[in-house]
Every structure is written in structure tokens, then in C-alpha cells.
Amino acid sequence: MKKSNITKAAAGNKNSGLPDQKNPMIIAGPCSAETPEQLMEVAAELALDPRVDYFRAGIWKPRTTPDSFQGAGIEGLKWLQDVKQQTGLKVATEVGSEKHVEEALKAGIDLLWIGARTVSNPFVIQEIADSLKGVDIPILVKNPLSPDIDLWEGALTRLLRAGVKELGAIHRGFFWLGKSNLRNQPLWHIPLELKNRMPHIPIISDPSHIAGRRSLVPMLANRAIANNFSGLMIEVHTNPENAWSDAAQQLTPNTFFQLMDELFGEKPSPVTSGELLEELRAEVDTMDEMLIWALSSRMELSGKIAQVKKQAGLTALQVARWQEVVDRVKTMGTKSNLDTDFIEIIYNAIHEQSLGLQKSVLADHESVTKKEHNFAL
Ligand code: PEP
Ligand code: MN
């Protein structure tokens, strides 16, 4: 049976004690530490599986709204210490400030990670980096909420410069406009690009926060392993439906064990073409939602422009402006490997719709004035 172990992994990794693809790091546990009983119950289950390297639980929860559960706070550190003592599991938690680092280190936490919301703030990252000088436990940095690879790389670089040796990254997906059946977009090319830029930084994936729904977690975990990520962080709860945070995405221990067997068991089941299709189609559905959002937002703007044209006594069709639009999108299309004819067909269709809408707004005005002007659609 595969067993990831941070010291064993060190031999094969010249930069850190973190794992590589052959020796993936598995971090599992609830989104939040809720009560001492809940925490111990989940830990007791996970301690049965030697594939679990670290038991995770958030005690300081960076929540989008102030009305959500904010975490147990410092009291939760004691619960994590009890877990460590009673189950032998190594424990991990999220830190979002210098103070958190100080408290977590004092409590003997074995691994720290920095959450997506914190990574977006270079001031805080620098403070955390300074407080980690000379610390030799693994530190993992989640990707920032926005798909900004430089921000992610910048945070990792600050920690490297502070002398953090066991440094790794966590891919948890990116916030994106529009609704989707995934909570966060995986945008796989970003972590893969980070791997190119920082080849010695292992990247693990967090399918729970990408999926947002437990039914999609196995497929995303499969995809991460197929993409040679160095491990997984997965949220597990004994009563996921009633979890105090991220209830929709946490797995029961049994589902988690099954997933581990599928991925790393005696007979691992590789991603089937059916599963891969399902995951890729979920991503395509998201792109379609974005396209529809972009088209309808564009039409709305076009309607507003028609109002302005009406007031200014202009016609719907503004040839020079339209030519400018077409040239611009063709150039962008070429840079993005899109066929020029394809772009032309799409933009002709968009233009036709947009003109139709503008003409209806201008209807009673059109026959009166036919002035061409440059501030058009
Ligand atoms: C978490 O791991 O529970 C968490 C808050 O994650 P993220 O920072 O990825 O949103
Ligand atoms: Mn969570």
C-alpha cells in the first residue's frame, strides 16, 4: 500500500521534504474544527488509513460573509493537539496572520497552509513570511482567488526568500465570473505553468474547493493525479450534510477511503474516458455559461449605446467603429490560435443582432438623420 511520508519523500526531492508524484502527500480532514468531539470523531476514522499524511482542520476561517461560522479560534488548537496525541496523526491548519503563525507553532502544529483569500494580500504574506524565518515545517500556499499566476508565484517567492525550505503549493481553483457546476474553475494550465516556473515546488490539488459538491470531488481528484500533481487535500467529515462550513463538498470517511483505493490501491482505477469526459464537459459547460453571460452583457451595453446614439442623433451603423472592432478581435483571435474565418462568422452574427437591437431603439429616429459618427457601437 502506498504510504506518503514527509521524511521518506525528502530523499527524492532536492529542494524540500515535500513529496513528489511517486509519493503523493494526502491531507484530509474537515473544513472546520467545530467541536472537540466532532474533530476527534473525524480524526479517529482517518487515523485508520495509513495513506493519510496530515489531518487538516481550519480553526481560523476566512469567510466571505461575516454571518458564516468564523471558526473555533485559538481554542481549536488544543483540540488539534489532542487529536495529534490520541491518534498519532500529524495535524495541519490554515494561518492568515503573523499571530496565527505564532500560536500554531507554539501549539506544535505540523504543517501550515495559507488560504486563497490571504494569498491575494502581499502585505500579509510578507508578514507571515517574516514570522516563518527559520521554521522547518512544511508550508503550503494556496492559489489566490483570482487567476493571477504572478500573485501566486510572488507569495511563494516571499516565503522562499524568508528561508522556508519545505514549501509547496495547493491548487484550489479560481473564482470566475458567471455560475458554474464547479465552485471554482480549475484552469489547469495555471498550476501547470507554475510547475514550469518553479519546478522544485510540489503542487498538490484541493478537489474539494474546486468542486464545491461532493459528487464531483472524485473526478477532480482523478484528474489531478492524472496531471501528475504531488498530492491531494480533501475535506472529510463524519456528518458532511450538517457541517458548519462547506457542507456540500465534504466526503464521508468511507467515500474518502474508496477514493484512495481507486487512486492508489492495489489495483488503482485510472481515470476512465467516461469520467474524463464528464469533467471536461463540466468545464465546457462553465465556458458556455461565460459565453452566454458575455453575449448578454454585450447586448445590454449595445442597448445603452443605442440610447446615447438616439440622443446624439446618430445612426445605428458606424462603419469606422465596426471595422475597428473586427480588426481588434481578429488580432486577439490570431494570438489565441483561433481561425480568422471563425471569428468573422461569430462577429458578423453578433453585429447583426446588435444592429437589430439598436435599430429598434432608434426606429422613429433613423429616418430623420443619417449622420455617420465615430462614437458608435
Ligand atoms: C479551506 O481550506 O477550508 C479554505 C478556506 O480554503 P480556500 O482558502 O481554498 O478557500
Ligand atoms: Mn473549506
Side-chain angles (χ1 to χ4, degrees):
M1 183 178 286
K2 170 231 93 103
K3 172 70 191 85
S4 167
N5 171 310
I6 199 106
T7 37
K8 191 175 64 185
N13 189 311
K14 68 178 196 171
N15 190 46
S16 73
L18 288 163
D20 53 32
Q21 285 97 296
K22 287 190 211 77
N23 197 7
M25 174 189 275
I26 304 299
I27 304 175
C31 176
S32 300
E34 298 165 7
T35 64
E37 296 73 30
Q38 166 257 5
L39 205 64
M40 195 59 79
E41 190 177 292
V42 186
E45 291 275 355
L46 290 176
L48 300 173
D49 192 332
R51 293 169 293 198
V52 176
D53 297 295
Y54 290 90
F55 177 74
R56 68 149 280 159
I59 60 167
W60 295 288
K61 299 302 297 175
R63 311 306 304 284
T64 302
T65 91
D67 298 329
S68 310
F69 174 54
Q70 304 295 304
I74 204 157
E75 202 190 344
L77 284 176
K78 171 83 183 75
W79 311 343
L80 276 174
Q81 283 175 323
D82 290 345
V83 161
K84 186 172 167 171
Q85 208 181 26
Q86 290 185 34
T87 66
L89 283 166
K90 290 186 190 167
V91 292
T93 200
E94 173 174 348
V95 287
S97 71
E98 209 179 334
K99 179 96 181 112
H100 293 168
V101 171
E102 198 185 300
E103 297 293 350
L105 293 176
K106 234 195 295 168
I109 303 300
D110 301 293
L111 176 151
L112 304 177
W113 81 87
I114 304 172
R117 288 157 193 80
T118 308
V119 178
S120 308
N121 186 335
F123 291 129
V124 178
I125 291 294
Q126 191 57 54
E127 272 175 26
I128 292 178
D130 293 341
S131 66
L132 285 169
K133 282 204 170 101
V135 168
D136 59 2
I137 60 168
I139 308 294
L140 304 181
V141 180
K142 287 203 173 191
N143 64 256
L145 295 177
S146 56
D148 182 347
I149 188 169
D150 296 332
L151 201 51
W152 197 7
E153 187 185 9
L156 288 160
T157 306
R158 284 175 198 273
L159 291 160
L160 275 181
R161 289 194 186 157
V164 172
K165 294 210 170 43
E166 297 197 26
L167 186 62
I170 307 177
H171 166 236
R172 51 78 78 199
F174 302 88
F175 175 80
W176 199 256
L177 288 167
K179 283 201 167 27
S180 154
N181 52 0
L182 297 175
R183 178 175 175 190
N184 289 295
Q185 278 306 297
L187 305 178
W188 296 100
H189 63 281
I190 296 185
L192 297 176
E193 169 60 18
L194 186 76
K195 217 185 257 198
N196 276 339
R197 291 192 190 184
M198 306 182 96
H200 300 307
I201 302 289
I203 309 179
I204 72 169
S205 193
D206 169 353
S208 306
H209 287 87
I210 298 174
R213 280 201 269 155
R214 64 191 125 263
S215 62
L216 298 175
V217 171
M219 147 178 117
L220 286 154
N222 261 293
R223 189 83 194 287
I225 294 303
N227 267 326
N228 290 324
F229 279 65
S230 301
L232 298 167
M233 174 185 263
I234 298 183
E235 288 189 338
V236 182
H237 195 292
T238 40
N239 185 0
E241 289 83 6
N242 294 310
W244 294 3
S245 60
D246 291 350
Q249 72 194 28
Q250 306 203 51
L251 303 184
T252 60
N254 276 343
T255 317
F256 169 77
F257 298 148
Q258 263 168 28
L259 175 59
M260 290 296 103
D261 287 346
E262 258 176 60
L263 295 171
F264 310 114
E266 307 277 286
K267 281 198 207 126
S269 21
V271 183
T272 63
S273 41
E275 283 164 338
L276 187 55
L277 262 186
E278 196 186 338
E279 202 269 341
L280 291 171
R281 282 177 173 159
E283 286 189 60
V284 164
D285 288 349
T286 306
M287 298 300 153
D288 285 339
E289 279 157 28
M290 290 185 208
L291 284 172
I292 296 295
W293 170 83
L295 286 171
S296 86
S297 305
R298 196 185 193 288
M299 284 299 278
E300 251 176 61
L301 286 169
S302 173
K304 286 185 184 152
I305 288 174
Q307 297 289 351
V308 177
K309 285 178 176 170
K310 189 170 183 170
Q311 280 162 15
L314 301 171
T315 57
L317 179 64
Q318 301 289 321
V319 177
R321 165 64 182 157
W322 182 244
Q323 195 52 50
E324 206 182 287
V325 170
V326 171
D327 292 346
R328 183 168 170 272
V329 294
K330 276 189 187 165
T331 308
M332 287 197 296
T334 307
K335 279 192 193 144
S336 301
N337 294 326
L338 289 167
D339 187 83
T340 310
D341 293 344
F342 171 57
I343 295 288
E344 209 163 293
I345 292 167
I346 289 178
Y347 270 82
N348 280 339
I350 290 176
H351 194 212
E352 204 172 301
Q353 280 295 306
S354 187
L355 267 184
L357 170 73
Q358 293 210 347
K359 281 184 174 159
S360 69
V361 174
L362 289 159
D364 51 350
H365 195 72
E366 197 81 313
S367 54
V368 185
T369 168
K370 287 278 178 219
K371 193 163 58 167
E372 286 282 317
H373 200 288
N374 264 347
F375 47 93
L377 178 67

